Amino acid sequence: QVQLVESGGGSVQAGGSLRLSCVASGRTFSSYGMGWFRQAPGKEREFVAVISWNGGITYYADSVKGRFTISRDNAKNTVTVYLQMNSLEPEDTAVYYCAGEGERSYRRSPGRKAHEYDYWGQGTQVTVSS
């Protein structure tokens, strides 16, 4: 059974930091790109950061570049993806989702569109107050 389980969300003041984690299992996620997306109330889900299957390629949304860092740990049966978020701003408030690419993306450069990801976690809330 494929599972993506996020953790690490919470409430923080502007300027603070949070580290999100996502444990992916039930499939060989180590050969596929992984990403973080977010969705604020009343807005569409948007790309935040993605990382290639081996960690060699990363892409960031312009709004988080220089503040967020995505990384991954490919273990034998699970993959853990991290999102280190620094200098948080109220505009970062959203539900953050971890996602894994589908079969067509085997060992390719990671996509930046939500529709390129077939596997999703349940989301974790991040709230940044001013």
Side-chain angles (χ1 to χ4, degrees):
Q1 180 183 359
V2 173
Q3 283 189 310
L4 285 78
V5 181
E6 301 105 332
S7 61
S11 296
V12 65
Q13 289 194 324
S17 298
L18 284 173
R19 188 192 197 201
L20 305 184
S21 299
C22 169
V23 178
S25 61
R27 172 181 179 254
T28 310
F29 282 102
S30 56
S31 294
Y32 298 90
M34 301 290 294
W36 288 95
F37 293 78
R38 67 186 181 188
Q39 187 166 18
K43 294 188 177 182
E44 292 187 355
R45 190 169 299 190
E46 65 175 2
F47 154 71
V48 176
V50 295
I51 186 167
S52 63
W53 64 278
N54 62 355
I57 300 171
T58 57
Y59 297 121
Y60 296 91
D62 288 343
S63 59
V64 307
K65 206 171 292 183
R67 300 188 297 121
F68 291 10
T69 303
I70 188 170
S71 60
R72 66 187 292 162
D73 179 12
N74 290 344
K76 183 176 181 180
N77 295 314
T78 63
V79 168
T80 304
V81 186
Y82 303 97
L83 186 67
Q84 177 66 44
M85 305 186 295
N86 299 327
S87 302
L88 282 161
E89 303 169 351
E91 294 73 23
D92 296 317
T93 295
V95 177
Y96 283 70
Y97 296 91
C98 174
E101 287 186 309
E103 302 299 328
R104 59 193 171 280
S105 301
Y106 178 80
R107 297 195 175 186
R108 294 176 61 181
S109 183
R112 282 164 274 191
K113 304 288 187 183
H115 69 79
E116 297 177 270
Y117 290 76
D118 290 349
Y119 303 95
W120 293 85
Q122 81 288 351
T124 185
Q125 177 70 46
V126 171
T127 302
V128 184
S129 58
S130 57

